[in-house]
Amino acid sequence: MIYLSCDYHHGAHPKIMERMNQCNMEPNTGYGEDPHCAHASQMIKDLCQDQSVAVHFMVGGTQTNTTIIAAALRPHQGVVTAVSGHINNHESGAIESTGHKVIGLPSDDGKLSAAQIHEYYLAHKQNESYEHIVMPKMVYISNPTEFGSIYSKAELEEISRVCHEDGLYLFMDGARLGYGLMSPENDLDLPVITKCCDVFYIGGTKCGALFGEAVVITNPSLKEDFRFILKQRGGMLAKGWLLGIQFETLFEDGLYFEICKHAVDQAMRIKKAFESKGVAFQVDSPTNQQFAMLTADVIRKFDEKYATCDDEKPTGKAVRSVRFCTSWATDPAEVDELIKDIEAWC
Amino acid sequence: MIYLSCDYHHGAHPKIMERMNQCNMEPNTGYGEDPHCAHASQMIKDLCQDQSVAVHFMVGGTQTNTTIIAAALRPHQGVVTAVSGHINNHESGAIESTGHKVIGLPSDDGKLSAAQIHEYYLAHKQNESYEHIVMPKMVYISNPTEFGSIYSKAELEEISRVCHEDGLYLFMDGARLGYGLMSPENDLDLPVITKCCDVFYIGGTKCGALFGEAVVITNPSLKEDFRFILKQRGGMLAKGWLLGIQFETLFEDGLYFEICKHAVDQAMRIKKAFESKGVAFQVDSPTNQQFAMLTADVIRKFDEKYATCDDEKPTGKAVRSVRFCTSWATDPAEVDELIKDIEAWC
Amino acid sequence: MIYLSCDYHHGAHPKIMERMNQCNMEPNTGYGEDPHCAHASQMIKDLCQDQSVAVHFMVGGTQTNTTIIAAALRPHQGVVTAVSGHINNHESGAIESTGHKVIGLPSDDGKLSAAQIHEYYLAHKQNESYEHIVMPKMVYISNPTEFGSIYSKAELEEISRVCHEDGLYLFMDGARLGYGLMSPENDLDLPVITKCCDVFYIGGTKCGALFGEAVVITNPSLKEDFRFILKQRGGMLAKGWLLGIQFETLFEDGLYFEICKHAVDQAMRIKKAFESKGVAFQVDSPTNQQFAMLTADVIRKFDEKYATCDDEKPTGKAVRSVRFCTSWATDPAEVDELIKDIEAWC
Amino acid sequence: MIYLSCDYHHGAHPKIMERMNQCNMEPNTGYGEDPHCAHASQMIKDLCQDQSVAVHFMVGGTQTNTTIIAAALRPHQGVVTAVSGHINNHESGAIESTGHKVIGLPSDDGKLSAAQIHEYYLAHKQNESYEHIVMPKMVYISNPTEFGSIYSKAELEEISRVCHEDGLYLFMDGARLGYGLMSPENDLDLPVITKCCDVFYIGGTKCGALFGEAVVITNPSLKEDFRFILKQRGGMLAKGWLLGIQFETLFEDGLYFEICKHAVDQAMRIKKAFESKGVAFQVDSPTNQQFAMLTADVIRKFDEKYATCDDEKPTGKAVRSVRFCTSWATDPAEVDELIKDIEAWC
């Protein structure tokens, strides 16, 4: 079985394991107050070209999304997202469990537009029942999105402008940020993201780490007492240095970017193979996730040899979207094999 | 100014005021443990033809919806509603504040269908990410809906059948139940509603009382410890007998039904007047709320003389839906006046 | 049976009923946006000698406490109270249901001292596990307390000073405020309370109204968006003018103060009668609640003729604290009767 | 500096690191649905001698406590604990953030007694204000406690009996369970704990793992839908097999018990050294935490050479309790050094 169903099928990049082995018997202070976390934070500040940001390390994505949103909002405020946003669909109601409404706006490709955000803001503000409707206060975007699409610099800057004019926090879920930044179509970088967002995170779990997400907070009012909320929501890892070590390693000599580029390169090969056979995509993705539209017959063939992600299966549709997902760990030889099969079966 | 913007513009039906005056200096035990609440509960059990139901009196609708839902659901469970459902749009996130997702299904007329509910249930049950998605556990319907439409006996029975097969609680928000039951198109009655729903309430605030909603719980598992939750959510009125007195009065000699019929009769006169002028409606409503589609020019004329509800105003559309809402307190002479103006202006 | 178990056994003062009857068929805008609420707010601003305060009207005490606390605190912050505080013991976990810890400090008489508050604040601030412990952010005091005791002007000013130095909000639950202000031992008044507290409320339910609590917010940061939270927590009464009318009446010609004084006068007669027989009190109360220490035998005699509050009953102690509670509605002739019985039985 | 301030100063036992290295490039299904978790679960079922238990793996203690309690309780129910319980003091209000009151009962040694639990249960049940007071529904005990003390078999069985008679869930926090089970004074074992508790967990983070707690649920009603809550609370690790691998290793050839015994042996040496110098203890602990009562002068000496835990520092007391905590990683040579210093300085 060749594993292409997600980007968290393997342990960590070997360099991370090596460093964790080296540091294993080194005594450290707990809860993220150790030199590894301090060093990794500093590396991130440098990469973001902003020494004023606050950096926190957390274990996983749902935990990170929930903690950030719970820390930011008052009880009557909600978070705006594309309907396909991870917080709306795949976190078992984690955000609502903190008391906040997730406000889903329609989107075909997983992205929100600045116009859409401003329109929703205005519709609420001018409504006669203003005080009877949840106040939008934060905008959640994922980059890359759940469909692999990415925001351009111009799009992000326009969203940021609208958010700040309308008093909305802009929060970017970067669980797969590395795969976005290394896309051939990308024109964003960490300093621009830092300037545009009030808070975002750089994903480790899906990009080479055993686990870990690095939260970067730029808005001073979101920095206050963040560690209390981190602890309250079960997100303060006792042996916090495990997170520090992983991000230290990822950001040394550009390892993070190098291994994410590898994954995107492999995905682009898969994309091209499907395209050459005239297969359509649910969304045109320039990153490590490719959603090919396949018939049930073809899917059956792939299922015997490849682990993929087929969320549409219950619908029983004749043509369904199937996700092929590469990662830092994807073996090019397995992609060779896949390309041959695409050519034969599609 | 003639008030037709909502059904809670006036105090209480004079008979209620009379009874409250009579009982004013009578000492009573607090928190709903008084003879008036006991008597009103018994009257409701008789009307529902089910002595096993639990009856509780609460002050207002948002409080009632929130308390019922919070009492029924475990943390990972959500409540399914039409997108237009009051709990989804007009309660400032009250349901989410208890930790539960409100799952909005599309609907043009404010109603859900049994097929729609079952389809959503199945889509969740068969999803590969089953445990990552909020579990639907309760279905919320309002009758009449926020658009004035009502469920037929056949529709309600089919929804009830599906809910019980799929392990979903069925909850009917009856804030305007009296106006639904007295509609010329209605074929429901309290015993049928009691058989079909796990919990519902009979609205007082909008149907002749100063305030008050009578909750009827039929499902034994929803009865347990309900008063704890009532207290916790601030819904246990200290002078609970004020609620008992009001419902005693409303259910004596059929007052509740008589005054609701009056409101519907007046609404039907307004509906007919619009129809005779070829004015369309947003939804075809057989109850006390009429949503007429009017041009901005015509709306301007009405606005000088009538208080109506114009929720679409911020959209700036050329033709908007405007609500004309009657109540137990609507003066037929004012409706005469309105009809003349409809004839003149539309 | 003579009712002395609580101060919410009767309806409303007759002048309130009269005014509600007069206004019953007057059309009003809902949700507290009516002339009665505006007028009552203005009266309260004048009484507080501060035109900048925000005034909101709510239905009951638990709802009011919960809404204020939920509006004020971030998720990791808690509210400090005497262990006997109503929010700690008698609200079925309402505060915790909003996600906040209630931090109970020991107290014999229901009061907190400034020193106690500061000491707790410091103990948290200097703790090595600072971020692992709920941050105290609000101090809740009740005046009169649950035991009838009251704060002096000097005590309140000292508490206020400490709170503001330590960055804590000071919140006074005034469910029985009228009975405190009319105590012979009281030296507080509304302008001083307004200066000292960030938020407080003037109780109506226990002081002559059918229901109603008037919230006064002095701290600008607590005013923001309060009505959203009011709605979310089910506390925005549809027919809000019912609250406005009641407070208009209570504050006209000093009715509130006059009727509360009556209750305290009757309580002082009861206190004196017990004292003259050498009966001890659980707490020395100068307000409308008297907690006499009585033997089981004596309690049995009272129980046949008087409804009192005997919360210690389950303990089976030989001498228990029994509450005799007067109100604006207490009949002096019934107190005459009680005094005779005290003389005979104690 | 010799580290004795806590039991999570080091990475993982070398055998765990070895196994994680071996499995690093093995593709696995995420979210705990992999062969390692299945195998570790089976090992735990065998150790507990109960094949019907449900086993779940989580990352850390606060997360585990919160998830279990949130999964078990309805909104009006609270959890009873010793005041010193971790959930009451050191989790930043995590439990309250799920809406539940933590009910602290007094305790000198960190333990609760069966009599104390039953007495609280009865006091609530018989209270006149029953429905106004949070209902106790779960009892939380930690074993060893936060002070290192442990429950005997007789004590645990009696607590279990009382809980089940009173309808309370019994939950044991076993973050340090290994250190308890290997105490010379212990007469408990996993099968007895399984029989007595509705749910408990076997701590990994403090007992040799990088991180990880193994939850064991015996009560069928607590098993239902647990994975939804796990996901909702951010506790479902994407690369769940990392937890499976660690517990597989810990339970192979009794490694868990062997390394915990080592820690307790070292702690007993420290205890004996203090005792031989007449130093008193805050609590008499037979496990890996020793709380010695030392003067500020002596503490100053230790502070230069040893990292210890001095939570009482802010109190400025003349004699304070200082924690010396050993772990699986404690070097006997460092304990030799400490013993020499105790002999010299105390």
Side-chain angles (χ1 to χ4, degrees):
Chain A
M1 185 65 62
I2 294 178
Y3 280 79
L4 291 164
S5 57
C6 72
D7 31 23
Y8 39 92
H9 271 318
H10 298 86
H13 189 275
K15 287 194 185 164
I16 285 180
M17 292 310 293
E18 194 187 322
R19 199 75 58 90
M20 287 182 72
N21 290 326
Q22 281 167 4
C23 302
N24 190 51
M25 292 309 291
E26 176 191 292
N28 267 298
T29 301
Y31 305 121
E33 299 186 312
D34 62 273
H36 298 286
C37 286
H39 181 215
S41 291
Q42 186 54 54
M43 294 170 98
I44 289 172
K45 289 177 183 183
D46 293 345
L47 284 166
C48 294
Q49 295 177 13
D50 186 339
Q51 300 300 316
S52 75
V53 302
V55 178
H56 299 275
F57 300 105
M58 301 189 68
V59 169
T62 295
Q63 190 183 82
T64 304
N65 290 333
T66 311
T67 304
I68 288 171
I69 293 170
L73 301 185
R74 290 186 60 205
H76 60 298
Q77 297 172 336
V79 55
V80 173
T81 177
V83 282
S84 50
H86 203 261
I87 56 168
N88 196 35
N89 287 322
H90 277 85
E91 302 188 350
S92 305
I95 307 311
E96 290 87 354
S97 86
T98 71
H100 301 290
K101 192 176 192 77
V102 177
I103 301 162
L105 301 188
S107 169
D108 286 332
D109 61 357
K111 290 165 64 177
L112 289 177
S113 72
Q116 210 179 3
I117 293 166
H118 183 58
E119 189 185 346
Y120 187 83
Y121 167 79
L122 272 189
H124 173 254
K125 197 181 167 190
Q126 298 173 349
N127 198 297
E128 287 198 359
S129 301
Y130 177 62
E131 295 164 327
H132 299 229
I133 301 173
V134 171
M135 174 186 277
K137 183 66 188 172
M138 180 176 251
V139 171
Y140 165 97
I141 55 174
S142 39
N143 186 51
T145 68
E146 294 71 13
F147 292 124
S149 53
I150 58 173
Y151 288 87
S152 70
K153 184 163 179 284
E155 287 170 340
L156 184 65
E157 287 177 340
E158 179 65 2
I159 288 175
S160 179
R161 194 186 59 73
V162 159
C163 284
H164 295 147
E165 278 180 25
D166 293 345
L168 307 169
Y169 298 122
L170 180 56
F171 163 31
M172 180 190 283
D173 171 340
R176 293 189 170 94
L177 189 55
Y179 300 130
L181 293 178
M182 301 319 289
S183 165
E185 298 187 12
N186 174 64
D187 63 355
L188 280 176
D189 58 24
L190 285 172
V192 169
I193 292 171
T194 304
K195 278 204 190 78
C196 288
C197 296
D198 296 283
V199 55
F200 67 98
Y201 63 98
I202 306 172
T205 303
K206 291 170 176 163
C207 301
L210 283 179
F211 53 85
E213 317 294 318
V215 179
V216 181
I217 310 180
T218 66
N219 186 320
S221 72
L222 299 185
K223 292 174 189 169
E224 195 177 344
D225 292 342
F226 191 81
R227 278 174 56 84
F228 279 88
I229 318 270
L230 201 63
K231 175 64 187 169
Q232 182 181 70
R233 302 216 63 82
M236 193 182 273
L237 190 65
K239 303 187 180 179
W241 65 87
L242 300 175
L243 293 160
I245 290 171
Q246 294 186 80
F247 280 100
E248 273 179 308
T249 313
L250 284 171
F251 291 127
E252 200 170 278
D253 302 328
L255 178 65
Y256 185 75
F257 304 103
E258 178 191 312
I259 65 180
C260 288
K261 181 168 186 309
H262 165 80
V264 177
D265 287 347
Q266 299 309 314
M268 291 304 100
R269 294 178 61 207
I270 297 171
K271 183 180 189 179
K272 210 173 135 193
F274 277 122
E275 280 175 343
S276 73
K277 297 293 288 188
V279 172
F281 295 96
Q282 186 185 1
V283 169
D284 181 27
S285 158
T287 61
N288 75 314
Q289 303 179 82
Q290 296 298 320
F291 294 81
M293 301 303 297
L294 303 175
T295 61
D297 277 356
V298 171
I299 293 170
R300 217 169 295 124
K301 285 184 197 162
F302 280 109
D303 280 353
E304 278 170 33
K305 196 163 161 188
Y306 300 91
T308 61
C309 184
D310 183 1
D311 259 353
E312 293 200 331
K313 199 172 181 181
T315 63
K317 285 186 201 155
V319 176
R320 300 201 302 266
S321 167
V322 174
R323 182 174 76 166
F324 293 79
C325 186
T326 63
S327 81
W328 60 275
T330 301
D331 181 351
E334 294 186 336
V335 174
D336 294 344
E337 186 83 10
L338 173 63
I339 289 170
K340 260 190 286 178
D341 290 334
I342 290 171
E343 281 164 5
W345 298 340
C346 293
Chain B
M1 185 65 62
I2 293 178
Y3 280 79
L4 291 163
S5 58
C6 73
D7 31 22
Y8 39 92
H9 271 318
H10 297 86
H13 189 275
K15 286 194 185 164
I16 286 179
M17 292 309 293
E18 192 186 325
R19 199 73 60 88
M20 288 183 71
N21 290 328
Q22 281 166 5
C23 302
N24 190 51
M25 292 308 292
E26 176 191 292
N28 267 298
T29 300
Y31 304 120
E33 298 187 311
D34 62 272
H36 298 286
C37 285
H39 180 215
S41 290
Q42 187 54 53
M43 292 170 100
I44 289 172
K45 289 177 183 183
D46 294 346
L47 283 166
C48 293
Q49 296 177 12
D50 186 340
Q51 299 301 314
S52 74
V53 302
V55 178
H56 299 276
F57 300 104
M58 300 189 69
V59 168
T62 295
Q63 189 183 83
T64 304
N65 289 333
T66 311
T67 304
I68 288 171
I69 293 169
L73 301 184
R74 290 187 60 206
H76 61 299
Q77 299 173 335
V79 55
V80 173
T81 176
V83 281
S84 50
H86 202 263
I87 57 168
N88 195 34
N89 286 322
H90 277 85
E91 302 188 350
S92 305
I95 306 310
E96 290 87 355
S97 85
T98 71
H100 301 290
K101 194 176 189 74
V102 176
I103 301 162
L105 301 188
S107 168
D108 286 332
D109 61 357
K111 291 164 66 176
L112 289 177
S113 72
Q116 209 179 4
I117 293 165
H118 183 57
E119 190 184 346
Y120 187 83
Y121 167 79
L122 273 189
H124 173 254
K125 197 181 167 189
Q126 297 174 349
N127 198 296
E128 286 197 0
S129 301
Y130 176 62
E131 296 164 328
H132 299 229
I133 301 172
V134 171
M135 173 186 277
K137 184 63 187 174
M138 181 176 251
V139 172
Y140 164 97
I141 55 174
S142 41
N143 187 51
T145 68
E146 294 72 12
F147 291 125
S149 54
I150 56 173
Y151 288 87
S152 70
K153 185 164 181 284
E155 287 169 340
L156 185 65
E157 287 176 341
E158 180 63 3
I159 288 176
S160 178
R161 193 185 62 72
V162 160
C163 284
H164 295 146
E165 277 180 25
D166 293 345
L168 307 169
Y169 298 123
L170 179 56
F171 163 31
M172 180 189 284
D173 171 340
R176 293 191 170 94
L177 190 56
Y179 300 130
L181 293 179
M182 302 318 289
S183 163
E185 297 186 11
N186 173 65
D187 63 353
L188 281 177
D189 57 25
L190 285 172
V192 169
I193 293 171
T194 304
K195 279 203 190 77
C196 287
C197 296
D198 295 284
V199 56
F200 68 98
Y201 62 95
I202 306 172
T205 303
K206 290 169 177 163
C207 302
L210 282 179
F211 53 85
E213 316 294 318
V215 178
V216 180
I217 310 179
T218 66
N219 185 321
S221 72
L222 299 185
K223 291 175 189 170
E224 197 177 342
D225 293 341
F226 191 80
R227 278 174 56 85
F228 279 87
I229 317 270
L230 199 63
K231 175 64 187 169
Q232 182 182 70
R233 303 216 63 82
M236 192 182 272
L237 190 65
K239 303 187 180 178
W241 65 86
L242 299 175
L243 293 160
I245 290 171
Q246 294 184 81
F247 280 100
E248 272 180 307
T249 313
L250 284 171
F251 291 127
E252 201 170 277
D253 302 329
L255 178 65
Y256 185 74
F257 304 102
E258 179 192 311
I259 65 180
C260 287
K261 183 169 186 310
H262 166 80
V264 178
D265 287 348
Q266 299 310 313
M268 291 304 101
R269 293 177 60 209
I270 297 171
K271 182 180 190 178
K272 213 173 134 193
F274 276 122
E275 281 176 340
S276 73
K277 298 292 288 187
V279 171
F281 294 95
Q282 186 185 1
V283 170
D284 181 28
S285 157
T287 61
N288 73 315
Q289 302 178 81
Q290 296 298 320
F291 294 83
M293 300 304 296
L294 303 175
T295 61
D297 278 358
V298 170
I299 292 171
R300 217 168 296 123
K301 285 184 195 160
F302 280 110
D303 279 354
E304 279 170 34
K305 195 162 162 189
Y306 300 90
T308 62
C309 185
D310 183 1
D311 258 353
E312 293 200 330
K313 200 172 181 181
T315 64
K317 285 187 201 155
V319 176
R320 299 201 302 266
S321 167
V322 174
R323 183 174 77 166
F324 293 79
C325 187
T326 62
S327 81
W328 60 274
T330 300
D331 181 350
E334 294 186 336
V335 175
D336 294 345
E337 186 82 8
L338 173 63
I339 289 171
K340 260 189 287 178
D341 289 334
I342 291 171
E343 282 164 5
W345 298 340
C346 294
Chain C
M1 184 67 62
I2 293 177
Y3 279 79
L4 291 163
S5 57
C6 72
D7 30 24
Y8 40 92
H9 271 318
H10 297 85
H13 189 276
K15 286 193 185 165
I16 286 179
M17 292 310 294
E18 193 186 322
R19 199 73 60 88
M20 288 183 70
N21 290 328
Q22 281 166 6
C23 302
N24 190 52
M25 292 308 292
E26 175 190 292
N28 267 298
T29 300
Y31 305 120
E33 298 186 311
D34 63 89
H36 298 286
C37 285
H39 180 216
S41 291
Q42 187 54 56
M43 292 169 100
I44 290 172
K45 289 177 183 183
D46 293 345
L47 283 167
C48 294
Q49 296 176 11
D50 186 340
Q51 299 301 314
S52 74
V53 301
V55 179
H56 299 276
F57 299 104
M58 300 190 68
V59 168
T62 295
Q63 191 182 81
T64 304
N65 289 333
T66 311
T67 304
I68 288 171
I69 293 169
L73 300 184
R74 290 187 60 206
H76 60 299
Q77 299 173 334
V79 55
V80 173
T81 176
V83 282
S84 50
H86 202 262
I87 57 169
N88 196 34
N89 287 320
H90 276 85
E91 302 188 350
S92 305
I95 307 310
E96 290 87 356
S97 84
T98 71
H100 301 290
K101 193 176 190 75
V102 177
I103 301 162
L105 301 188
S107 169
D108 286 332
D109 61 358
K111 291 165 65 178
L112 289 177
S113 72
Q116 211 178 3
I117 293 165
H118 183 59
E119 190 185 347
Y120 187 83
Y121 167 80
L122 272 188
H124 173 253
K125 197 182 167 189
Q126 298 174 349
N127 198 297
E128 287 198 359
S129 301
Y130 176 62
E131 296 164 328
H132 298 229
I133 301 173
V134 171
M135 174 186 277
K137 185 63 187 174
M138 181 175 251
V139 172
Y140 164 97
I141 55 174
S142 41
N143 187 50
T145 68
E146 294 72 13
F147 292 125
S149 52
I150 57 174
Y151 287 88
S152 70
K153 185 164 180 284
E155 286 169 340
L156 184 65
E157 287 176 341
E158 180 64 4
I159 288 176
S160 178
R161 194 185 60 74
V162 160
C163 283
H164 296 146
E165 277 180 25
D166 293 345
L168 307 169
Y169 298 122
L170 180 56
F171 164 30
M172 180 189 284
D173 171 341
R176 293 189 170 95
L177 190 56
Y179 301 130
L181 294 179
M182 302 319 289
S183 163
E185 297 186 12
N186 173 65
D187 63 354
L188 281 176
D189 57 26
L190 286 172
V192 169
I193 292 171
T194 304
K195 279 205 191 76
C196 288
C197 296
D198 296 282
V199 54
F200 68 98
Y201 62 98
I202 306 173
T205 303
K206 289 170 176 162
C207 302
L210 283 179
F211 53 85
E213 318 293 318
V215 178
V216 180
I217 310 180
T218 66
N219 186 320
S221 73
L222 299 185
K223 291 175 191 169
E224 197 178 342
D225 293 341
F226 192 80
R227 278 174 57 85
F228 279 87
I229 318 269
L230 200 65
K231 175 65 187 169
Q232 183 182 70
R233 302 217 63 82
M236 192 182 273
L237 190 64
K239 303 187 180 179
W241 65 85
L242 299 175
L243 293 160
I245 290 171
Q246 294 186 78
F247 280 100
E248 273 180 306
T249 313
L250 283 172
F251 291 127
E252 199 171 277
D253 302 329
L255 178 64
Y256 185 74
F257 304 102
E258 178 192 312
I259 65 180
C260 287
K261 182 169 186 309
H262 166 80
V264 177
D265 286 348
Q266 299 310 313
M268 290 304 101
R269 292 177 61 208
I270 297 170
K271 183 180 190 179
K272 210 173 136 193
F274 277 123
E275 280 175 342
S276 72
K277 299 292 289 189
V279 172
F281 294 96
Q282 184 185 1
V283 169
D284 181 28
S285 157
T287 61
N288 74 315
Q289 302 178 81
Q290 297 298 318
F291 295 82
M293 301 303 296
L294 303 175
T295 61
D297 277 357
V298 170
I299 292 171
R300 217 169 295 122
K301 285 184 195 161
F302 280 109
D303 280 354
E304 279 170 32
K305 196 162 160 188
Y306 301 90
T308 61
C309 185
D310 183 1
D311 258 354
E312 293 201 329
K313 200 172 181 180
T315 64
K317 284 187 201 157
V319 176
R320 299 201 303 265
S321 167
V322 174
R323 182 174 78 167
F324 293 79
C325 186
T326 62
S327 81
W328 59 275
T330 300
D331 180 350
E334 294 185 336
V335 175
D336 294 345
E337 187 83 9
L338 173 64
I339 289 171
K340 259 189 288 179
D341 289 334
I342 292 171
E343 282 164 5
W345 297 341
C346 294
Chain D
M1 185 66 63
I2 294 177
Y3 281 78
L4 291 163
S5 57
C6 73
D7 30 22
Y8 40 92
H9 271 317
H10 298 85
H13 189 275
K15 288 193 185 165
I16 286 179
M17 292 310 293
E18 194 186 321
R19 199 74 59 88
M20 287 183 72
N21 290 327
Q22 282 167 4
C23 302
N24 190 51
M25 292 308 293
E26 176 191 292
N28 267 298
T29 301
Y31 305 120
E33 299 186 312
D34 63 90
H36 299 285
C37 285
H39 180 215
S41 290
Q42 186 55 54
M43 292 169 99
I44 290 172
K45 289 177 184 183
D46 293 346
L47 283 166
C48 294
Q49 296 177 9
D50 186 340
Q51 299 300 315
S52 74
V53 301
V55 179
H56 300 275
F57 300 105
M58 300 189 68
V59 168
T62 294
Q63 190 182 80
T64 305
N65 290 333
T66 311
T67 304
I68 289 171
I69 293 170
L73 301 184
R74 291 186 60 204
H76 61 299
Q77 298 173 335
V79 55
V80 173
T81 176
V83 282
S84 50
H86 202 262
I87 56 168
N88 196 34
N89 286 321
H90 277 85
E91 302 187 351
S92 304
I95 307 310
E96 289 87 355
S97 85
T98 71
H100 301 290
K101 193 176 189 78
V102 177
I103 302 162
L105 301 188
S107 168
D108 286 332
D109 61 358
K111 291 165 64 177
L112 288 177
S113 72
Q116 211 179 2
I117 293 165
H118 183 57
E119 190 185 346
Y120 187 83
Y121 167 79
L122 272 188
H124 173 253
K125 197 181 167 189
Q126 298 173 349
N127 197 296
E128 287 197 359
S129 300
Y130 176 63
E131 295 164 327
H132 299 229
I133 301 172
V134 171
M135 174 186 276
K137 183 64 186 174
M138 180 176 253
V139 171
Y140 164 96
I141 56 175
S142 40
N143 186 51
T145 69
E146 293 71 13
F147 291 125
S149 53
I150 57 173
Y151 288 88
S152 70
K153 184 164 181 282
E155 286 169 342
L156 185 64
E157 287 177 340
E158 179 65 2
I159 287 176
S160 179
R161 194 186 59 73
V162 159
C163 283
H164 295 146
E165 278 180 24
D166 292 345
L168 307 169
Y169 297 123
L170 180 55
F171 164 30
M172 180 189 283
D173 172 340
R176 294 189 169 94
L177 189 56
Y179 299 130
L181 294 178
M182 302 318 289
S183 164
E185 297 186 11
N186 174 65
D187 62 355
L188 279 176
D189 58 24
L190 285 172
V192 169
I193 292 171
T194 304
K195 279 203 189 79
C196 287
C197 296
D198 296 283
V199 55
F200 67 98
Y201 62 99
I202 306 173
T205 303
K206 291 170 176 162
C207 301
L210 283 180
F211 53 85
E213 316 294 318
V215 178
V216 181
I217 310 180
T218 66
N219 186 320
S221 72
L222 298 185
K223 292 175 190 169
E224 196 177 343
D225 292 341
F226 191 81
R227 278 175 56 85
F228 280 87
I229 318 269
L230 200 62
K231 176 64 187 167
Q232 183 181 70
R233 303 217 62 83
M236 193 182 272
L237 190 65
K239 303 188 180 178
W241 64 86
L242 300 175
L243 293 160
I245 290 171
Q246 294 185 79
F247 280 100
E248 273 179 308
T249 314
L250 284 171
F251 291 127
E252 200 171 277
D253 302 329
L255 178 64
Y256 185 74
F257 304 103
E258 179 192 310
I259 65 179
C260 287
K261 182 169 184 310
H262 166 79
V264 177
D265 287 348
Q266 300 310 313
M268 292 304 100
R269 292 178 62 209
I270 297 171
K271 182 180 191 179
K272 212 173 134 193
F274 277 123
E275 280 175 343
S276 73
K277 298 292 289 190
V279 171
F281 295 95
Q282 186 186 0
V283 169
D284 181 28
S285 157
T287 62
N288 74 315
Q289 303 179 80
Q290 296 298 320
F291 295 83
M293 301 303 298
L294 303 175
T295 60
D297 277 356
V298 171
I299 292 170
R300 218 169 296 124
K301 286 184 194 161
F302 279 110
D303 280 354
E304 278 169 34
K305 196 163 162 188
Y306 300 91
T308 61
C309 185
D310 182 1
D311 259 353
E312 292 200 330
K313 199 171 181 181
T315 64
K317 284 185 202 158
V319 176
R320 300 202 301 266
S321 167
V322 174
R323 182 173 76 166
F324 293 79
C325 185
T326 63
S327 81
W328 59 275
T330 300
D331 180 350
E334 294 186 336
V335 175
D336 294 344
E337 187 82 9
L338 173 62
I339 289 170
K340 259 190 289 180
D341 289 335
I342 290 171
E343 281 164 6
W345 298 340
C346 295

